[in-house]
Amino acid sequence: MSQTRGRYDFYIGLVLAMSSSIFIGGSFILKKKGLLRLARKGSMRAGQGGHAYLKEWLWWAGLLSMGAGEVANFAAYAFAPATLVTPLGALSVLVSAILSSYFLNEKLNLHGKIGCLLSILGSTVMVIHAPQEEEVETLNEMSHKLGDPGFVVFATLVVIVSLILIFVVGPRHGQTNILVYITICSVIGALSVSCVKGLGIAIKELFAGKPVLKHPLSWILLLSLIVCVSTQINYLNRALDIFNTSIVTPIYYVFFTTSVLTCSAILFKEWQHMAADDIIGTFSGFLTIIVGIFLLHAFKDVSFTLANLPVSLRKDDRAANGTLLSTYDCFNLDEESSTCVGEIQSTESLSARRNGNLSAF
């Protein structure tokens, strides 16, 4: 009976986790649609510090969708193991990328798709090989964890880095560098997850009849969560308003997941008893994430799809055989002249754009 019940809970958690990914992935699209509508109306954009999106119903629909996704994700942990629920959060990246191509006309080239896949795989490997959380049952135990010198130093560094990014780096480079606003959301998100875990313990104790409302830590966690979530929403809106959704979503997922794992490791000291295979798996996953992010950034301006692959292979074969056509030969071939001219022009314009982007970055 217990085995049947465990399998039943497993499938409930699986459905909740997948539903969470659908809601969260769709929320990015709804928010972006709302921000685009405001831009067409001439309202001050979120990327410039405006808050007109608070009057846009599509943005609120996106916020509610994200809230529903987070609730489903939180409930999934009560039924299924974290090693299943957390990696499934990567599905929101795929959902967002697919929906953005249909509803936002945003294109993700072959390099971007591979980079997105590698980012998801790397994050999944990191989560699978990450150590298990240490059980914390009461607010007093959580208070002891939060007061640990290691976590205090980590939280202080997060606050300092966030303030520097918000007040110094953001005004100068936030409009051109996608990592600025996403980094703010990610590092602040690590603290918000810690607050959520603490409030989850408080809710359990509340249902058990304990006077948690009189415990000052409950209100501190609630106030901190409100501040952190408000900051995350503000700067995530700015990132979505300025940059491509298909790029923002996977990078945010990777940075956020990495920040949360780092915070949890410091808060609960989970890495002290890691096996060698887990250490190797964690570093392998992290390197995979780096490669994925590189593909997303370095080749985002390249117009390359599977349909271009045969042409590229033919050119490689010609180069290998020493018969690579010159520019003059391209113009003298009736069948492929237009293709060659287009390739030459696109290569020149791409080089100019790439040099410009790299110098700006």
Side-chain angles (χ1 to χ4, degrees), residues 11 24 28 100 134 155 166 193 195 259 299 309 313:
Y11 285 119
I24 293 176
F28 285 99
S100 63
E134 178 182 336
I166 291 173
V193 170
C195 295
S259 299
F299 302 103
L309 211 53
L313 291 177

Side-chain angles (χ1 to χ4, degrees), residues 34-231:
L35 293 173
L36 289 175
R37 286 182 58 175
L38 289 173
R40 287 194 296 268
K41 294 177 181 178
S43 302
M44 181 179 289
R45 305 183 63 162
Q48 300 172 345
H51 297 86
Y53 57 82
L54 295 175
K55 299 179 181 179
E56 175 59 50
W57 70 269
L58 271 176
W59 184 88
W60 282 106
L63 182 63
L64 292 176
S65 178
M66 178 170 284
E70 294 296 343
V71 170
N73 187 65
F74 182 80
Y77 283 100
F79 294 95
T83 53
L84 169 72
V85 177
T86 307
L88 282 179
L91 292 176
S92 62
V93 178
L94 298 179
V95 171
S96 179
I98 293 173
L99 292 180
S100 63
S101 64
Y102 282 100
F103 297 102
L104 299 178
N105 297 321
E106 296 181 355
K107 303 300 180 182
L108 194 63
N109 62 15
L110 184 60
H111 297 94
K113 293 175 182 177
I114 295 174
C116 184
L117 179 62
L118 288 176
S119 298
I120 294 171
L121 291 176
S123 299
T124 302
V125 170
M126 284 191 65
V127 172
I128 291 175
H129 288 279
Q132 297 295 321
E133 289 182 355
E134 178 182 336
E135 293 294 332
V136 179
E137 301 293 339
T138 65
L139 279 178
N140 289 330
E141 294 178 2
M142 188 66 181
S143 177
H144 178 73
K145 293 288 184 183
L146 294 174
D148 184 79
F151 180 76
V152 172
V153 171
F154 172 79
T156 302
L157 288 176
V158 166
V159 173
I160 293 175
V161 170
S162 299
L163 292 175
I164 293 175
L165 289 174
I166 291 173
F167 295 106
V168 179
V169 181
R172 299 178 181 177
H173 306 288
Q175 300 285 330
T176 57
N177 193 327
I178 192 174
L179 298 181
V180 175
Y181 292 150
I182 292 181
T183 302
I184 295 173
C185 297
S186 301
V187 296
I188 293 296
L191 297 181
S192 66
V193 170
S194 300
C195 295
V196 168
K197 292 181 179 180
L199 289 175
I201 296 172
I203 293 174
K204 289 182 180 179
E205 287 194 307
L206 181 64
F207 287 148
K210 297 182 180 180
V212 295
L213 297 179
K214 297 181 180 179
H215 202 297
L217 181 60
S218 301
W219 300 103
I220 294 175
L221 291 174
L222 180 60
L223 180 61
S224 300
L225 180 62
I226 293 174
V227 173
C228 290
V229 171
S230 300
T231 305

